[in-house]
Every structure is written in structure tokens, then in C-alpha cells.
Amino acid sequence: MKPTTRALKAWIAEAALLAVPPEQIRVPVENDRLFLTVYSVCRQAIRYAEAYSATAASGFEHEAVPLVRAAFEHAVTAQWVYLTPGGHALLSAGVRASMHDFQVRFAQRAGDHVWMDHLELSTPPKVHGRPNFGKMMRAVDHEEFLELIYSLLSQATHVTFRSVTGYLDGSSEQFELLPERRVSAEVNYQVLHAAAMSSLLALSVLAHVIDDPQLLDLVSRRSDELMLPWLLESGSARDSSTGTGRPVGRPQV
């Protein structure tokens, strides 16, 4: 039986509390760079999911969907980094290059020649960085359920048929203007489900990177209880004998 709405909301709130760092945190030496690369990404994924829950509770369920899309992108990216050998180096290189390109364009637009000269001296080396999000997602999405979820979340983020017809009812000959958007309970559930899944995927990466047995056990149990995956699949995934766990459950799509 699929998890209840109450259970999914409770998990999002629980994950937000679990993600708050303690006064001291121990990270295995071999994971120090990986931790520094994914920590903020995971925390932001969980925060986006928490923000969705709060915004939806205020009566803006549809308008809160882009927050879930952001949570989903962050969580899947963190999973890709963790599951891909050298993933943290690829993400770091890609982030540095994109930030430098942005600063160069901004300096050119502003006509700041001093800043442009400084940026020219600090140009990062040309290296192969991370792939775009679509490629990352497909690399850990062997059953295409992630792509289906992403498509659902994108419908409320971009101008689509849902945007054009959101506040209309009827046909082109006879229609009614709606005071509120009509969204099915099933769509709202799927969005909530994606938010909860994003929180679990993100917290799972943190648990594995810091190698916390108690947190790993909790994440595993929540995965079973809520039928949500805690690790995605990858053709180059780390071996489960190293304590990285295995894919568990699947989304209700």
C-alpha cells in the first residue's frame, strides 16, 4: 500500500531536522573532498522540500511545485556525484567553470576592465566538467521513472498546456473563468511524493559520505516504510560491500 500523505509530510519534516548539523561532525578522511562537494547540495535539496511543504500548506500547492523540482535536481545531482567515480571532481570543475563564465559576462556587460583583467588571470583550466542535468539523471535512471517525475514537475514550472488552461473550464465556445486552479488530488500526491523522495535521496548521500551507521539504518528503514529509493542505480555504482547500500523501493508513479 502506498504511503499516506501524512506519512510523507512527516518524513519531510523529520529529514529537515536530521539534516541540521551537530556541533561536531566526523567525516572519513577518504571522503573529505566528497563531503565538501555534496554537503550544501544535499542540505539545499532538503530545505527546498521543506519549503514546498510549508508553501503548499498555505494554499499555494501548485505554485510550490517549482520548489520540488529544485529539490529533485539537487538530490539527483548529489546521488550522481556520490555514485560516479570522481563525480565530486567533475562537479567542482563544472561549477568553477560556470561561475567564471558568469563573472566574465557580467564584467563585460558592466564594462569593468579591471575586473575583466583579473578574471583573465584567474581563468580555470579547461577540464571536462559535469554533464548537464539531463545526462546525470539518465545515468542513474535505468527505469526512466526519474524522467517521468521530472516531466511532471516541469509542467508547473514552465509555460505549458497547464499554464494556458489552468484557470479556464469548458471549451473555446463556452468557458468559465475559475477563481482557483483545479489540480487533481493524485497530482498533488505525486508532487508530495517527489518532495519526500528528494529528501530521502539527499539525506542518504550525507549518511553514506559521513558513514553514520545510525543515520544509515534510519534512512534504510524510512525507505522501506515509505517505499522510496534511498540510493539510485548507476552502471558505475560503488560496490555495496563498501557500505553504500543498495537501491530500495521505487516512486509511486
Side-chain angles (χ1 to χ4, degrees), residues 53-198:
S53 188
T55 305
S58 300
F60 294 92
E61 284 185 308
H62 179 77
E63 289 73 17
V65 175
L67 292 170
V68 183
R69 187 176 186 265
F72 180 82
E73 288 185 6
H74 280 66
V76 172
T77 297
Q79 287 270 329
W80 178 88
V81 169
Y82 176 71
L83 292 168
T84 303
H88 68 284
L90 294 173
L91 180 63
S92 296
V95 168
R96 286 196 300 270
S98 62
M99 183 60 188
H100 184 269
D101 289 345
F102 169 78
Q103 290 178 325
V104 168
R105 293 196 304 272
F106 198 91
Q108 290 174 339
R109 181 67 177 176
D112 192 328
H113 299 289
V114 175
W115 190 12
M116 289 169 61
D117 291 341
H118 171 74
L119 291 171
E120 186 174 347
L121 293 174
S122 60
T123 301
K126 295 291 184 180
V127 296
H128 176 67
R130 60 172 176 172
N132 61 41
F133 177 72
K135 291 182 178 179
M136 283 191 288
M137 178 174 64
R138 284 187 285 274
V140 293
D141 185 20
H142 295 289
E143 297 182 10
E144 299 185 356
F145 67 86
L146 294 180
E147 198 156 358
L148 180 59
I149 294 171
Y150 194 58
S151 177
L152 172 69
L153 299 176
S154 297
Q155 290 298 319
T157 305
H158 303 298
V159 179
T160 64
F161 72 94
R162 292 180 63 185
S163 304
V164 175
T165 62
Y167 294 89
L168 300 174
D169 187 29
S171 63
S172 58
E173 288 76 24
Q174 186 174 4
F175 59 87
E176 176 186 359
L177 301 181
L178 301 176
E180 296 182 359
R181 171 183 288 273
R182 293 178 182 173
V183 181
S184 72
E186 180 60 23
V187 169
N188 285 337
Y189 178 85
Q190 298 294 350
V191 173
L192 174 62
H193 194 275
M197 183 182 73
S198 298

